[in-house]
Amino acid sequence: MQATTQLIHSIPVDPLTGAVSVPIYQTSTFVQEAPGINKGFDYSRTNNPTRATLEDLIAQLEGGQVGIAFSSGLAAIDAVAKLLRPGDEIVAVDDIYGGAYRLFTQVYQQFGVTINFVDTTDPEKVFNAITPNTKLIWLETPTNPTLKISDIEAIAQIAKASHCLLCVDNTFASPALQQPLLLGADIVVHSATKYLGGHSDLIAGLVVTKEKELGAKLKFYQNACGAILAPFDSWLVIRGIETLHLRVQQHCRSAQEVAEWLQQHPAVDKVYYPGLKDHPNHEIAKKQSKGFGGIVSFSLKQDSAEAATAFVTSTQLFKLAESLGGIKSLVSHPASMTHKTIPAEKRRAAGVTDSLIRLSIGLEDAGDLLQDLQQALEKTNTIVKTTAAEAVPC
Ligand SMILES: *Cc1c(COP(=O)(O)O)cnc(C)c1O
């Protein structure tokens, strides 16, 4: 059976009423027959039927044993970080998601956890960064916003040989394209806020573990710390996942078209998209994922923050906003938005130049998206020229 068919039929019909949509069990507690004797649920922080359906669904999609749904992607990452003890070290991808960077360096570092950032596109660099104290390798692939790809299988082997866990933040790819657990990773985390939810209408996080025991540990932390996903939001994520494969296929198709179009545009300098043959990690992306995703980044020939600002305020269909993975196309300027707190020199060295622009390709008609990009690039050119002319003293 194909994954899409399996997915649609893995969402159970309600055994009580026959409802084809999972009921939203909006309840805090469950009546018990006698102390400790219940129908499998006693209190919704610990377990809730709607959330449990989502948790089983994501575990199945990622090919893992245990799924856990959190109130945000960062809460999911936080639960994984709680596996560490003072003195432990993390080896992490160098262009890590900003929120994970803040969590590791500003929260966990004060509890005695050390983070080493390396260029994980080279597995040898990962290997060389590992010390006897390394307990966790943290990957994102593709990364944000320059879409670097790391070889999950090669790094999983290094993790195994070094007796540390490999966790992959699979937000950008989604399980429709990439299943890290099947490539040897131990844990997958998601910001379900993005492709899994898919409609920019909720904040949610998911964790999936390959092994039951590790899943039980993380479930313990969730119940002990309390960052659960509410029943209604769980239902919304289930509803999003039901169309995940279809949406992601279309995101990929349009993103490829946009990337190729940008590449031939005279106002555009570099285009970052793993589906382009000249992307430095194109072959690894092809090997480990079924598609190249819906995010495209590019820089302008006119490499200034002014030009980038002119562009991101000139698009009509692409709305200027943080986040990604929804049905509506979004545009963002990492240097002044998501990556603002990173020192300029460090930021530029990582490829996040002043004019770098990130697009989240939505589900609009691809031709309409190209037209919007064309008019915005023309307008940018006019604005930049006018500003330059005004700056010249008479
Ligand atoms: C958005 C995002 C997160 C954080 O998720 P929230 O749901 O916003 O807490 C983590 N990792 C990646 C790659 C993201 O894009």
Side-chain angles (χ1 to χ4, degrees):
M1 208 188 282
Q2 294 298 309
T4 42
T5 314
Q6 209 168 15
L7 165 68
I8 286 166
H9 285 273
S10 69
I11 300 157
V13 168
D14 178 38
L16 207 61
T17 62
V20 291
S21 167
V22 180
I24 301 166
Y25 285 93
Q26 190 69 38
T27 184
S28 59
T29 193
F30 301 82
V31 173
Q32 311 189 14
E33 269 172 54
I37 299 178
N38 56 49
K39 296 187 163 68
F41 299 93
D42 57 8
Y43 189 62
S44 277
R45 171 162 34 73
T46 311
N47 206 356
N48 174 282
T50 314
R51 195 172 88 229
T53 302
L54 168 62
E55 293 174 334
D56 290 347
L57 184 61
I58 190 64
Q60 189 189 315
L61 271 177
E62 286 288 5
Q65 297 275 341
V66 178
I68 314 170
F70 290 86
S71 51
S72 70
L74 269 174
I77 296 171
D78 178 61
V80 176
K82 287 194 172 91
L83 295 168
L84 302 169
R85 298 288 168 272
D88 288 351
E89 294 176 13
I90 307 173
V91 169
V93 56
D94 55 3
D95 48 357
I96 192 168
Y97 172 71
Y101 179 84
R102 183 177 53 202
L103 180 72
F104 289 155
T105 59
Q106 293 188 40
V107 179
Y108 280 91
Q109 213 139 281
Q110 71 184 350
F111 298 134
V113 174
T114 312
I115 333 284
N116 297 312
F117 294 100
V118 297
D119 174 5
T120 54
T121 59
D122 182 355
E124 207 177 310
K125 287 191 178 145
V126 176
F127 181 76
N128 291 337
I130 289 172
T131 76
N133 294 329
T134 308
K135 295 290 155 58
L136 178 65
I137 300 175
W138 192 273
L139 281 190
E140 272 171 47
T141 178
T143 62
N144 175 32
T146 55
L147 304 161
K148 293 202 287 189
I149 307 288
S150 297
D151 188 333
I152 298 172
E153 201 168 15
I155 295 170
Q157 280 166 12
I158 293 169
K160 200 148 289 151
S162 321
H163 305 289
C164 51
L165 296 171
L166 171 62
C167 181
V168 179
D169 182 333
N170 205 26
T171 300
F172 269 47
S174 93
L177 298 180
Q178 176 174 286
Q179 292 165 297
L181 299 182
L182 305 187
L183 298 169
D186 302 286
I187 309 170
V188 160
V189 300
H190 277 285
S191 169
T193 311
K194 318 293 167 53
Y195 287 105
L196 294 172
H199 295 71
S200 307
D201 54 7
L202 61 93
I203 301 282
L206 297 166
V207 174
V208 185
T209 63
K210 189 161 57 186
E211 304 295 346
K212 269 215 163 80
E213 205 178 312
L214 189 56
K217 252 191 208 172
L218 291 167
K219 221 167 158 54
F220 168 81
Y221 285 129
Q222 180 184 53
N223 187 47
C225 303
I228 51 149
L229 191 63
F232 180 62
D233 288 355
S234 299
W235 183 85
L236 276 175
V237 178
I238 294 168
R239 186 182 164 93
I241 288 176
E242 286 174 328
T243 57
L244 177 73
H245 289 79
L246 203 58
R247 284 186 287 107
V248 167
Q249 262 176 34
Q250 186 57 42
H251 285 303
C252 290
R253 214 176 287 147
S254 296
Q256 184 78 34
E257 207 173 316
V258 167
E260 287 173 10
W261 182 87
L262 285 169
Q263 212 172 23
Q264 53 72 49
H265 199 284
V268 171
D269 185 24
K270 276 201 184 103
V271 181
Y272 301 86
Y273 186 65
L276 295 173
K277 291 205 172 60
D278 62 358
H279 184 286
N281 317 121
H282 176 68
E283 289 306 320
I284 296 165
K286 216 159 79 178
K287 185 185 79 169
Q288 72 185 12
S289 52
K290 294 191 193 87
F292 304 108
I295 307 298
V296 179
S297 295
F298 67 100
S299 58
L300 298 168
K301 286 246 170 73
Q302 190 83 39
D303 187 32
S304 68
E306 267 170 356
T309 304
F311 180 84
V312 300
T313 52
S314 296
T315 53
Q316 309 260 312
L317 295 175
F318 285 89
K319 304 294 183 200
L320 178 62
E322 312 236 344
S323 200
L324 57 110
I327 55 168
K328 279 186 186 152
S329 290
L330 298 178
V331 60
S332 74
H333 179 227
S336 67
M337 295 167 75
T338 46
H339 289 62
K340 193 170 67 182
T341 54
I342 301 171
E345 211 115 299
K346 216 176 145 197
R347 170 170 59 69
R348 289 190 193 115
V352 186
T353 53
D354 294 354
S355 74
L356 190 82
I357 288 157
R358 188 190 75 189
L359 302 175
S360 171
I361 308 298
L363 298 183
E364 302 90 342
D365 177 78
D368 288 336
L369 293 179
L370 296 184
Q371 237 173 45
D372 190 30
L373 295 172
Q374 174 62 24
Q375 69 79 23
L377 284 167
E378 278 169 19
K379 211 164 152 193
T380 302
N381 197 27
T382 316
I383 294 170
V384 172
K385 266 191 193 150
T386 316
T387 323
E390 277 167 359
V392 176
C394 302

